[in-house]
Amino acid sequence: MSSAQEQAFDVVVLGAGSTGENVADVVVKGGLSAVLVESELVGGECSYWACMPSKALLRGTEVLTEARAVDGATQAVTGEQDVAATLARRDSFTHGWDDSSQVDWVKGAGIDLVRGTGRLAGERAVVVTDADGNETRLTARVAVAVCTGSVAKLPPVDGLADVAPWSPREATSAKEPPGRLLILGGGYVGCEMATAWQALGSQVTLLQRGDRLLPRAEPQAGEAVTEALRALGVDVRFGTDVTAARREGTDVVLTAGDEEFRGDEVLVAIGRTARTGDVGLETVGLEPGEYLTVDDTLQVEGLPWLYGVGDVNGRQLLTHMGKYQARQAAAAIVARARGERVDGAAWSPTAATADAVATPSVVFTTPQVASVGRTAAQAREAGLPHRVVEYPLGSVAGASLFADGYTGTAIAVVDTEREVLLGVTFVGPGVAELLHAATIAVVGEVPISRLWHAVPSYPTMSEIWLRLLETWRDGD
């Protein structure tokens, strides 16, 4: 091991995924110096094992489904999806799991990069160990931001760790479709990967411990996705508690009660946990492996120089929310470095208020599920006076043009005292692009009385907004 090098920066960022990149970029633009520390690929989970490759796997299926739903176009679809070409297109989005272009961006943005595993070593100190065992000691004059993300959970099922289960990383980067794929978990990862690999030639069995898919969404969303997956050929099972796993030759065998399920691979998609087990939290009095408890400026409780941004705080485990938190945290870091007062007030330039009340998300199944804000169940749990307004999307002219026999639904949760939207959910083909209008309405707390003046173009699916307002007015 060579002697340790020492460097000082205003901000040290552990983790060069999209969250860490955004923290570093904003603080540099604010006049501070920053260094990213990364042991894997610069760009992180989203770029190489999550958002981009998974959506590339799904896009061909989505396009073909839409074409087959339009008479005149369906006659032109005379073949099947080219699996090899789909996988090659997926690989193009990950640049073959090469991060050179992201490294070039980091350099161009005026951000330093240190390769290796970074660990806290006391207040404002980070020690980075590279692949050869060389150490670099980094000192943060202003702040350290932990942006190390999350890792897939492995449930305590007897034998499961020994059967080489897939995590979402393996599911999105597989070189060929498995013949039979077992999936544990019916959240967004399980549903998306079931859609993708069934359409690409696998026989998928999805095992859900609970009684519905997408349990955090409106019930109608889980019902629609269940119906679509079964129509695609996926074997969807509910109330299935897997208690043991083993390998028999090349087969994975899962035991649940009196049943056994066999496959070539098993994807475990039951959730994620903070990637904080080996970042030196114990050196600053925190518990390794736990989510970091932060305030709305993403500052760690009791440690004014430390920030936990993105998945590591457990607030909202979504790429775009990690990037949002990064922008807010970095603004707070810059403001504090300038001696400005930062109070974390709701909707301020330094507070991640949307985490709690206005998080948007899209599940890219067929149909899509796009939602923002609170569901009816969440509004009820929060004790908010509300009414649920629902309208069939297929009854809107734009939807009937989008696909023959279009089916879908729109659900709005309305605060009955303030008459503003608490949340909106769309379920149906192509609804992802409807979501941002709903996000603006929820974040802006636009009164229903003003939404009447937001006239949707005809004939587009956005006319669903008018139908929801009419349903609200008529009290149905």
Side-chain angles (χ1 to χ4, degrees):
M1 181 184 297
S2 65
S3 59
Q5 301 178 51
E6 295 192 15
Q7 300 178 48
F9 296 87
D10 292 324
V11 181
V12 177
V13 182
L14 294 180
S18 55
T19 297
E21 287 178 324
N22 275 268
V23 170
D25 187 37
V26 175
V27 298
V28 166
K29 288 176 178 174
L32 304 180
S33 62
V35 60
L36 287 166
V37 178
E38 180 55 63
S39 61
E40 295 187 303
L41 297 177
V42 174
E45 211 74 17
C46 175
S47 297
Y48 304 103
W49 300 288
C51 314
M52 296 306 291
S54 65
K55 295 347 170 241
L57 287 174
L58 288 158
R59 179 59 179 151
T61 299
E62 182 179 52
V63 170
L64 287 171
T65 301
E66 291 178 0
R68 288 169 176 150
V70 177
D71 195 22
T74 189
Q75 289 83 351
V77 183
T78 57
E80 295 300 317
Q81 190 170 177
D82 187 320
V83 175
T86 296
L87 296 179
R89 185 171 186 265
R90 182 270 318 269
D91 293 353
S92 73
F93 281 99
T94 67
H95 301 283
W97 289 271
D98 183 307
D99 65 358
S100 300
S101 62
Q102 299 252 22
V103 171
D104 288 342
W105 175 85
V106 168
K107 291 177 180 177
I111 303 164
D112 280 73
L113 172 66
V114 176
R115 296 276 196 177
T117 301
R119 301 183 81 254
L120 290 165
E123 184 173 339
R124 292 186 174 85
V126 170
V127 173
V128 185
T129 306
D130 69 16
D132 297 322
N134 300 312
E135 290 187 351
T136 301
R137 185 177 182 86
L138 303 174
T139 300
R141 289 183 286 260
V142 175
V144 175
V146 180
C147 306
T148 48
S150 61
V151 294
K153 282 183 182 177
L154 192 67
V157 172
D158 183 41
L160 185 59
D162 300 323
V163 302
W166 277 7
S167 73
R169 282 193 172 196
E170 288 75 29
T172 58
S173 62
K175 300 303 180 186
E176 60 183 12
R180 298 162 299 164
L181 176 62
L182 305 173
I183 298 178
L184 296 186
Y188 72 92
V189 172
C191 291
E192 287 186 351
M193 289 298 94
T195 302
W197 288 115
Q198 181 75 28
L200 292 172
S202 299
Q203 176 53 58
V204 176
T205 301
L206 194 158
L207 307 175
Q208 173 70 326
R209 190 175 183 180
D211 59 1
R212 64 186 175 100
L213 301 182
L214 304 176
R216 295 182 182 179
E218 297 286 6
Q220 296 92 323
E223 293 165 5
V225 172
T226 300
E227 182 180 344
L229 287 174
R230 285 176 169 162
L232 193 61
V234 176
D235 184 2
V236 180
R237 303 290 188 96
F238 295 108
T240 306
D241 188 8
V242 175
T243 56
R246 68 183 189 276
R247 281 274 182 186
E248 284 187 5
T250 59
D251 279 9
V252 176
V253 184
L254 301 181
T255 302
D258 296 330
E259 285 192 277
E260 287 190 343
F261 300 91
R262 291 177 176 267
D264 298 296
E265 303 290 352
V266 54
L267 163 62
V268 179
I270 64 161
R272 302 184 70 81
T273 188
R275 192 177 185 181
T276 58
D278 190 32
V279 297
L281 293 184
E282 68 280 1
T283 69
V284 294
L286 298 176
E287 187 67 28
E290 297 296 321
Y291 286 111
L292 295 174
T293 303
V294 299
D295 64 15
D296 279 352
T297 70
L298 293 313
Q299 194 176 67
V300 175
E301 286 188 358
L303 297 170
W305 56 272
L306 187 64
Y307 292 74
V309 192
D311 285 11
V312 292
N313 60 45
R315 288 163 64 109
Q316 294 291 350
L317 278 64
L318 294 163
T319 294
H320 48 276
M321 297 312 289
K323 292 161 74 172
Y324 162 70
Q325 289 180 15
R327 295 189 294 270
Q328 305 308 98
I333 291 169
V334 171
R336 288 179 173 128
R338 293 172 176 169
E340 299 170 3
R341 182 174 178 271
V342 175
D343 62 10
W347 305 116
S348 76
T350 56
T353 311
D355 284 352
V357 297
T359 294
S361 68
V362 179
V363 185
F364 289 86
T365 44
T366 304
Q368 295 176 342
V369 177
S371 61
V372 63
R374 293 181 171 94
T375 61
Q378 290 165 343
R380 185 167 56 251
E381 289 166 8
L384 295 169
H386 66 281
R387 192 175 121 219
V388 178
V389 179
E390 186 173 351
Y391 196 86
L393 257 169
S395 297
V396 174
S400 63
L401 288 167
F402 187 92
D404 299 337
Y406 187 107
T407 58
T409 190
I411 304 163
V413 182
V414 185
D415 185 314
T416 52
E417 285 187 358
R418 296 185 297 144
E419 295 199 354
V420 297
L421 294 171
L422 295 172
V424 181
T425 296
F426 301 109
V427 183
V431 296
E433 301 306 328
L434 289 175
L435 185 59
H436 198 57
T439 303
I440 292 169
V442 171
V443 170
E445 298 181 330
V446 181
I448 296 292
S449 60
R450 181 59 62 89
L451 283 176
W452 278 105
H453 299 280
V455 181
S457 298
Y458 182 88
T460 68
M461 279 200 283
S462 290
E463 200 176 14
I464 187 61
W465 284 99
L466 177 56
R467 301 294 170 246
L468 287 171
L469 292 173
E470 290 172 339
T471 304
W472 160 263
R473 178 197 61 196
D474 296 341
D476 296 333

